[in-house]
Amino acid sequence: MSDSEHDEDLRKAIQLSLEDAGQSAAPVNSAADENTPQSSWPSSSPLPSKHTRDPVDKLYIYDPAEGKVPKSFLPKPIRYDKTKDPFHSATPRSDRTPVFGTTPENAELFEAMCGSPERPVSPPTNNFAGLNRKAMEQERLARAAAKESGKKIPIVGDNRSKKKQRDSISPPPIKRAAQSSPTQTSPVPSKRQRVEASDAASQGPRSTETTGEADASSILQKESTPSDLEGISFPRGVIKQTCSAFNGHKKTDRQISVEEVFQRSSLRMAVISAFQFDALWVLNKYQVMHTKSVFVMQAKDKQLRDHISKDLAKSKVPNLKLCFPPMEGQVSCMHSKLMLLSHQTHLRVAIPTANATVYDWGETGVMENSVFMVDVPRLKEGQDNPAGMTPFAKELFHFVQAMGLEPSLIKSLHNFDFANTKHLAFVHSIGGAHTGSDIERTGLCGLAKAVRELGLETKEPEIDFAASSVGSLNDEFLAFLYTAIKGGSIKTGDQIKHIKAKVDTKIRKRFRVYFPTDETVGKSLGGKACGGTVCIQKSYYTKNTFPKEMMRDYVSKREGLLSHNKILYVRGLNKDGDPIAWAYVGSANLSESAWGKIVMDRAKKVPKINLRNWESGVLFKVDLEGAEKGKVPDMKVFEDTVGIPFEYPGKEYDGRQPWYFMES
C-alpha cells in the first residue's frame, strides 16, 4: 500500500470521528463475536460537540523495542496520603469522582484492604469522564504525525529528583543497554490492511506448535516461541514477564507487552477484570470501534455502581459494557485479574498479576509483573467438543458465571476446544461464604482440589512465595495453607480440628516469603514514591505471632524494579519418593483475605470458608525429566518455564524492616 493510500484512509477515519454531534457513527465491525447478540451491546453513539477534557497528550502507543513513554503520562507518585485515603475520607460518596479499584470506607474492612489486595493510595484518575471517540481519533492523528516526523520521546523513570537531574553532580546513571531501532506499526490500519489481516486469520494459526490434544503430563512450553505471533501462539500455555524496555532493561523473548497479549489487530472481544483500571490507557491498547469489551470492576454498593455506569454513559465510549461481581456482606475486594480475549481462530485466556494500569505493565519503567497465557482453538461450525469440559474449563466457567457475566457471553465460551488444558488447573476465590459442595471449589479448598486432580500431592514440600502484599500471618493460617499445598482435604469438621491441633512453628522452616525491605524500595528506580502497591502493615509484622524468619528481601533480576508478582513455587516428593514441582501464578497474595478462613458454620454445623476477596490464578506442573528420585528438586527447575524474576535463595531480613507503605 502506498503512503498516499494510507494517508487517505487515515484522513477519512479522522474526519468520521470529528463530525459534529447528531451524525451517525461508524458501524461496529462485522467480525465481532457472533455469539454475543450485538443488540445487547451499546451502539456507537454520536460524538459530543464539546468535551471538557482533552486527553490527547496522555495517549500513546508504547514501543517496547524503543522504550518510549511520554513524561506527561507518568503516574503521580503512589504514596500513602491519609487525607486522600478513601477509608479516612469524609467526602460524601456522591460528590467524589469514582476511582476503579477503590475499596469501601467501612472500618471493619480495613484489614481486607491492606492485608491482601494492593491499596490504591493516590490512585490514578481513571474514570470514564473525558473519554470519547473524538479524543481517541485526535490522538491517533497526533501519533501518525509524530511518526512521520520521526520525533523522539525522552526516556523517563530514573529514581532521581528533578534537581539532581539538572545538576552535574547527580549520581551516575544506570548503564543502559543499546536501544533497538523503533518498529512501530500504523495506529490506524487502513481498510486494505484490515481485510488482509482478516484473510490471514481465516487461514488458521501460524504457530509452529502443535494444537493437538495434550495429555495430563504436558507442561508449559519453554521460552522459545516469539510472543508477537498472530493466531495460536501458546497452545499449552506460557508464562511471560511484563516489559520494562528502558532504564537499561532490554526486552527479551521472556517479556511481553500488553499489545502482544491482546493481539490487537485480530481482537474481536475482550473481557478484562482487574482491581484497578486506567480506562483511558486500556482502551487505547486495541481498536475500540472494532472490539467489544467488558470491564469487570469493583463497586461495593449500588450507589457507586450507578455512578460508574453514568460516567461511562456520558463518555460515549462505543462497544463497552461493565460487570460488577457481587460484593455483599464480608466481601471487600474484587482483586481478580483475568482476560478472555476472543479472536477468529482462538480464545486467549490470560491471567496476569498486573492490574489494568500503565505502571503495572512496566511502561513507566518502575514495576514488574507476570502473565500466564493459553490459546484454545475455536471449534469449527457444527463441531462438537471432543474432550468435553476439562477441570480447567469447568472452574473457569464456574468463576465467570459467579462474577455475573452475561449468559450469552458464557455460552460463547463453549465454542472453543479446551482439550489442551488438561495439565492446567484454574484456581479461584469467589467472594463470600461457601458451604456444602461449593467449599471444595474455591479458596484454600479449591487449591487443594487442584493439586489432587493434577496428581501433585507432596509430603513435606518446600515453598517459595513471591508476594506484593502480605497479610496478618500466623501459624494457624500457615497450617491450613500448607495442608492445601500438600493436596490434603479440608472439607469435614474432623479435618479442620486435626489441622488446628497440629499447628506447629516448624512449618515456618519450609516457607520463604519474598517481599522487599524498606532499603530495597528506597533504592528502586521509582523510589519510595512508587511503592504504594507493595503492601504490608507494621501492626501485622510487629506482632509476636508473625513468622518473621520466613521473610526474604525481593530483589529483582532487572536492576531497580519493584515487584507486583504473585507467584507460588512448590517442590517436594510424593508418597513414592518421586520429585514433584509445580507453580501458581495469579492475583492471590499471601493473606487470609485472598485464600480464605475455614471455620465451622454454627447454624448448619458444617465447614464453611469465608472469602473477602475475588481472586483468580492458574496452577501447573513443571517438567522434571531426569530428576533424581528421593531428592527434592532445586529452585532452578522453574527457570525455563515459570521463570524466577528475583534473586534467590534471597537474603534474610537480618534485622532490616519490610517496606511499610503507610509509614513512609
Side-chain angles (χ1 to χ4, degrees):
M1 168 175 285
S2 68
D3 290 340
S4 61
E5 288 177 304
H6 170 72
D7 291 342
E8 180 60 26
D9 283 333
L10 179 61
R11 279 193 292 271
K12 288 180 179 179
I14 299 300
Q15 181 180 1
L16 174 66
S17 293
L18 298 180
E19 291 174 337
D20 291 333
Q23 296 185 5
S24 60
V28 176
N29 189 352
S30 59
D33 197 329
E34 68 277 7
N35 298 298
T36 304
Q38 187 162 314
S39 60
S40 66
W41 291 81
S43 59
S44 300
S45 306
L47 293 171
S49 56
K50 295 182 179 179
H51 57 285
T52 58
R53 182 163 62 96
D54 189 350
V56 172
D57 63 329
K58 293 188 178 182
L59 281 164
Y60 64 99
I61 286 291
Y62 173 62
D63 181 359
E66 189 170 335
K68 291 182 177 179
V69 55
K71 188 173 183 179
S72 62
F73 198 79
L74 265 178
K76 295 178 180 179
I78 307 169
R79 194 167 187 172
Y80 184 72
D81 184 343
K82 185 174 181 178
T83 63
K84 297 179 181 179
D85 190 337
F87 174 75
H88 295 284
S89 175
T91 307
R93 186 186 307 275
S94 59
D95 296 335
R96 295 202 314 271
T97 301
V99 177
F100 305 148
T102 300
T103 46
E105 297 89 13
N106 307 69
E108 66 271 16
L109 301 178
F110 185 78
E111 179 182 352
M113 293 168 63
C114 302
S116 169
E118 309 90 327
R119 188 180 184 82
V121 293
S122 297
T125 54
N126 45 12
N127 58 343
F128 285 113
L131 293 184
N132 53 57
R133 276 184 55 203
K134 179 178 180 180
M136 292 176 182
E137 294 297 349
Q138 286 178 323
E139 181 275 329
R140 290 190 181 101
L141 181 59
R143 278 204 314 271
K147 179 185 174 185
E148 184 177 349
S149 65
K151 184 178 180 181
K152 298 291 184 179
I153 303 176
I155 296 172
V156 296
D158 276 333
N159 180 22
R160 293 176 291 171
S161 68
K162 292 182 179 179
K163 183 178 186 301
K164 287 182 178 180
Q165 292 181 33
R166 291 192 300 266
D167 293 343
S168 59
I169 57 174
S170 60
I174 294 173
K175 186 177 180 181
R176 301 183 187 277
Q179 299 288 349
S180 57
S181 59
T183 54
Q184 286 183 314
T185 57
S186 171
V188 184
S190 67
K191 180 177 180 181
R192 182 182 299 180
Q193 287 173 318
R194 291 195 297 269
V195 171
E196 289 172 353
S198 177
D199 291 342
S202 65
Q203 295 173 6
R206 293 187 287 156
S207 172
T208 57
E209 300 283 345
T210 176
T211 57
E213 182 174 327
D215 59 32
S217 65
S218 297
I219 59 170
L220 302 188
Q221 56 204 82
K222 297 183 178 181
E223 295 293 337
S224 60
T225 305
S227 60
D228 56 355
L229 292 177
E230 294 298 327
I232 298 176
S233 300
F234 310 118
R236 291 182 289 122
V238 73
I239 303 292
K240 297 277 188 179
Q241 296 171 3
T242 54
C243 290
S244 182
F246 46 94
N247 286 326
H249 304 127
K250 186 177 180 180
K251 188 189 176 194
T252 68
D253 285 344
R254 189 176 287 279
Q255 281 100 44
I256 193 168
S257 67
V258 71
E259 290 91 346
E260 292 170 324
V261 173
F262 284 158
Q263 298 178 300
R264 57 175 284 161
S265 64
S266 61
L267 184 61
R268 305 163 102 182
M269 173 183 259
V271 178
I272 303 173
S273 75
F275 175 58
Q276 289 179 308
F277 268 89
D278 187 335
L280 185 63
W281 175 80
V282 174
L283 293 170
N284 191 51
K285 293 301 179 180
Y286 52 82
Q287 303 173 75
V288 294
M289 296 306 299
H290 308 290
T291 302
K292 296 177 179 178
S293 307
V294 178
F295 285 1
V296 183
M297 312 175 74
Q298 166 161 311
K300 174 74 174 178
D301 55 55
K302 185 177 184 301
Q303 187 177 9
L304 183 55
R305 291 193 294 269
D306 290 345
H307 195 171
I308 297 174
S309 298
K310 290 178 181 178
D311 205 19
L312 172 59
K314 292 178 182 178
S315 73
K316 301 186 183 298
V317 175
N319 304 321
L320 174 61
K321 300 186 76 173
L322 304 178
C323 173
F324 301 105
M327 295 188 65
E328 289 81 11
Q330 64 182 314
V331 185
S332 61
C333 185
M334 207 306 295
H335 197 245
S336 167
K337 297 153 179 58
L338 174 66
M339 298 178 179
L340 303 177
L341 308 171
S342 177
H343 300 263
Q344 183 172 342
T345 57
H346 65 287
L347 173 74
R348 171 166 289 182
V349 180
I351 303 174
T353 64
N355 284 300
T357 61
V358 60
Y359 46 88
D360 266 10
W361 282 91
E363 295 186 16
T364 62
V366 298
M367 190 71 67
E368 67 179 356
N369 274 279
S370 299
V371 56
F372 165 84
M373 295 169 288
V374 63
D375 297 332
V376 295
R378 186 184 289 272
L379 295 168
K380 295 180 180 179
E381 187 175 355
Q383 178 184 357
D384 293 330
N385 196 325
M389 293 280 282
T390 64
F392 178 91
K394 286 180 181 178
E395 293 308 319
L396 173 63
F397 284 35
H398 176 67
F399 182 72
V400 296
Q401 184 175 10
M403 291 177 77
L405 290 183
E406 291 186 355
S408 58
L409 193 155
I410 297 174
K411 183 179 178 181
S412 71
L413 297 177
H414 289 274
N415 294 325
F416 299 93
D417 184 2
F418 283 82
N420 274 3
T421 64
K422 288 183 178 180
H423 60 297
L424 305 171
F426 186 82
V427 179
H428 55 73
S429 293
I430 297 175
H434 306 273
T435 59
S437 59
D438 286 341
I439 193 175
E440 285 192 87
R441 305 187 73 169
T442 195
L444 285 172
C445 303
L447 174 64
K449 177 172 173 283
V451 171
R452 294 193 300 270
E453 287 180 339
L454 295 182
L456 300 175
E457 299 99 316
T458 50
K459 294 186 295 183
E460 294 182 334
E462 294 290 328
I463 300 164
D464 294 82
F465 202 137
S468 62
S469 178
V470 179
S472 184
L473 303 182
N474 56 58
D475 291 315
E476 181 175 307
F477 169 72
L478 292 177
F480 276 97
L481 178 60
Y482 196 67
T483 300
I485 288 172
K486 292 194 296 182
S489 181
I490 320 173
K491 62 179 182 180
T492 68
D494 289 340
Q495 290 169 340
I496 294 174
K497 291 178 182 178
H498 179 71
I499 294 170
K500 289 185 175 183
K502 293 188 67 176
V503 170
D504 192 338
T505 57
K506 292 180 180 179
I507 294 178
R508 300 182 181 189
K509 296 180 180 180
R510 301 191 180 277
F511 270 93
R512 286 155 297 279
V513 179
Y514 295 81
F515 185 88
T517 61
D518 182 84
E519 178 185 10
T520 295
V521 173
K523 290 181 178 179
S524 68
L525 288 167
K528 293 185 177 182
C530 291
T533 57
V534 184
C535 314
I536 188 172
Q537 285 197 67
K538 188 174 183 178
S539 60
Y540 295 166
Y541 186 77
T542 54
K543 287 182 180 178
N544 293 331
T545 54
F546 192 96
K548 299 178 182 64
E549 62 267 39
M550 294 167 37
M551 304 299 288
R552 302 291 186 275
D553 192 7
Y554 187 111
V555 178
S556 175
K557 290 180 178 177
R558 291 186 281 180
E559 186 177 3
L561 292 188
L562 293 176
S563 169
H564 194 252
N565 282 309
K566 304 122 181 67
I567 310 176
L568 170 62
Y569 304 87
V570 178
R571 301 165 287 132
L573 303 174
N574 65 14
K575 62 181 181 180
D576 299 321
D578 297 321
I580 296 290
W582 59 266
Y584 163 94
V585 174
S587 67
N589 277 300
L590 185 55
S591 76
E592 195 173 78
S593 298
W595 293 102
K597 182 177 179 63
I598 302 174
V599 298
M600 291 296 295
D601 187 294
R602 295 180 180 179
K604 299 180 181 179
K605 307 298 182 183
V606 295
K608 176 175 68 174
I609 186 168
N610 293 319
L611 287 157
R612 295 176 181 172
N613 293 3
W614 287 81
E615 308 280 3
S616 56
V618 62
L619 187 154
F620 44 87
K621 179 182 179 180
V622 174
D623 182 29
L624 295 178
E625 185 177 355
E628 183 179 344
K629 188 179 180 71
K631 183 178 180 180
V632 176
D634 188 84
M635 272 286 283
K636 63 184 179 182
V637 300
F638 298 104
E639 286 282 11
D640 288 340
T641 50
V642 187
I644 306 175
F646 53 89
E647 295 179 2
Y648 68 92
K651 294 182 180 179
E652 297 184 24
Y653 276 22
D654 192 24
R656 292 178 295 171
Q657 293 296 302
W659 160 247
Y660 300 128
F661 75 111
M662 293 178 65
E663 302 289 329
S664 301

